[in-house]
Amino acid sequence: MTFLQQALAIAGKDLRSEIRSKETVNASLSFALVILMLFSFAFDPGSDQVREISGGLLWLVYAFAGTLILNRSFARELVNDCLDALISSPASGAQVFFGKCLANYLLLMVVECVSFPVFIIFYNARWPARWGLLLLVMLLGTWGITVIGTLFSAMTVNLRLRELMLPTLVYPMLIPALLGAIRLSTVLIAGEALETDDQIWFKLLAGFDVIFTALSLALVEIVLVG
Amino acid sequence: MCVMSAVAIEGVWKFYGDFPALKDISFNVDGGACLALLGRNGAGKTTLLRMLAGLSKAAKGSITILGGDARAEKTRARIGVLGHGIGVYEELSAFENLRLFARLYGMENPRQIAMEWLERTGLDRVSDGLVREFSRGMRQRLAVARAFLHNPSLLLLDEPFTALDDRAIAVLQGLLKGALAEGRTIIMSTHQLREALELATDVALINRGKLAFRGERSREMLEDPGWLYRHYGEA
């Protein structure tokens, strides 16, 4: 089987398990909606202040809600020692990792696509005119969260305090990607024109994704087997 | 019977922190042999089996499996592992579990392989049932099917008879006898001496991380399973 076929088999398995158990998507989605609602009480919807922080607000919610999905990614393999069965199969660590990234990415995108319209309603914002560009920012930013989060999910899988350790380790690593995603999302949601300087944030997001995907694929075998 | 070494372990050490779990273990297992890996709890049997399965690495020494490195993809495709956990997914059906592993092992026609093994283990009537709804015995039979479905040349079994019901023991014994008749190699750690020694051609005893005995299974061992521990084990 090719690299992609093995990875898709693992992604399919994770998605099928999640569709049946709904354990992470329900938790992540509920958390995202509650946080959006609570922030809407703290800020005046439709105000300039909200417009200025809209990107930050959105990506903090995505990052927090994302860790709920990412935390379970490798932890679910501990039940019945499935991780051992997976690692002892011919699928390489990189294939296992990439398959899990694909499943996590899809689940995170679902949470984001559901919570974004809720954000628009709660904060009295307009649907962005350049929604295609915003979707591109979401795709790039979410892949960054997914790759880093999935790698650290593998690293922390055997720790007792993994629910605490994962966000502690992941958020500092995500700073460059979050900076880019927040800046671009703020501009696009506010309906302002993208300046020439903003292109560097797109490049940063894309570069972050490429570099950390390559690094993670190279390192995950050591993380899983030692 | 093939006499080439299926497994070659050379000066292997493993540490957990400063604690040496395995100390300078060296022995070979010939192709087609069935080795009973014996020892008290905490002796290091599971640690050694995990290294053979490519699930952890030795701190020192080398392990060669079927002529290659334990973590090589080709080697892993020829090893069947049945550990303490059953290694099957609760939220998937029996059929989906076996089809997944058949795919991961690169089998042609995973669907057919999965159905064949469900039949062989008597689970064909519940093939669409989710594992979380299965009884313990059914889960164990499914785990046996997962470990055997790719016709592995080397079987690594960690206490395979523990907590099995009568039906699962019969299924497993039948499969192990069939595997031996086909010239496959088996290494199994166990505390059930009688069942293990009946199948075994060879015996290795590990005592506090050290190899205390390695040899062929003898008549004395079969007649008196405690003999080995009295002569080579801890007092």
Side-chain angles (χ1 to χ4, degrees), chain A residues 1 6 9-10 13 16-17 20-21 77 79-82 84-93 221 225-226, chain B residues 50 53-55 57 71 73 76-77 85-92 96 99-101 103-105 130 146:
Chain A
M1 276 178 107
Q6 295 271 39
I10 289 161
K13 178 268 296 175
R16 195 171 300 221
S17 295
R20 286 186 184 145
S21 69
E77 302 289 340
V79 179
N80 296 338
D81 286 346
C82 287
D84 285 353
L86 214 51
I87 296 173
S88 62
S89 81
S92 66
E221 183 81 12
V225 184
Chain B
R50 286 181 63 81
L55 295 171
K57 286 187 174 167
R71 275 307 291 167
E73 185 187 326
R76 294 204 306 275
I86 55 175
V88 288
Y89 293 94
E90 297 275 325
E91 300 298 335
L92 299 187
E96 287 166 347
R99 187 183 57 183
L100 169 70
F101 282 99
R103 277 184 184 158
L104 294 180
Y105 278 91
L130 298 185
R146 176 194 56 75

Side-chain angles (χ1 to χ4, degrees), chain A residues 24-100:
Chain A
T24 59
V25 165
N26 278 358
S28 178
L29 198 54
S30 310
F31 183 76
L33 297 181
V34 166
I35 294 281
L36 281 173
M37 189 178 70
L38 289 176
F39 278 154
S40 76
F41 296 145
F43 304 106
D44 181 19
S47 66
D48 287 345
Q49 187 193 17
V50 165
R51 212 169 21 247
E52 282 165 18
I53 62 162
S54 58
L57 202 64
L58 206 56
W59 280 99
L60 279 184
V61 170
Y62 291 167
F64 288 158
T67 52
L68 294 179
I69 290 174
L70 298 164
N71 240 327
R72 289 293 301 155
S73 181
F74 274 89
R76 75 167 77 227
E77 302 289 340
L78 295 178
V79 179
N80 296 338
D81 286 346
C82 287
L83 189 56
D84 285 353
L86 214 51
I87 296 173
S88 62
S89 81
S92 66
Q95 287 167 327
V96 172
F97 169 79
F98 196 66
K100 287 197 161 286

Side-chain angles (χ1 to χ4, degrees), chain A residues 1, chain B residues 97-111 113-114 149-150:
Chain A
M1 276 178 107
Chain B
N97 266 294
L98 295 189
R99 187 183 57 183
L100 169 70
F101 282 99
R103 277 184 184 158
L104 294 180
Y105 278 91
M107 309 286 296
E108 282 179 25
N109 207 342
R111 180 177 290 269
I113 299 279
L149 62 75
H150 56 292

Side-chain angles (χ1 to χ4, degrees), chain B residues 114-163:
Chain B
M115 286 313 297
E116 275 175 22
W117 277 94
L118 286 169
E119 264 177 50
R120 288 183 75 167
T121 49
L123 293 169
D124 47 329
R125 286 185 185 176
V126 289
S127 62
D128 292 329
L130 298 185
V131 171
R132 68 170 184 225
E133 294 159 356
F134 279 14
S135 69
R136 195 167 176 171
M138 288 156 78
R139 287 158 176 256
Q140 287 156 342
R141 274 183 280 148
L142 186 62
V144 169
R146 176 194 56 75
F148 279 77
L149 62 75
H150 56 292
N151 296 320
S153 305
L154 171 66
L155 282 154
L156 301 171
L157 314 171
D158 195 0
E159 300 186 25
F161 297 108
T162 303

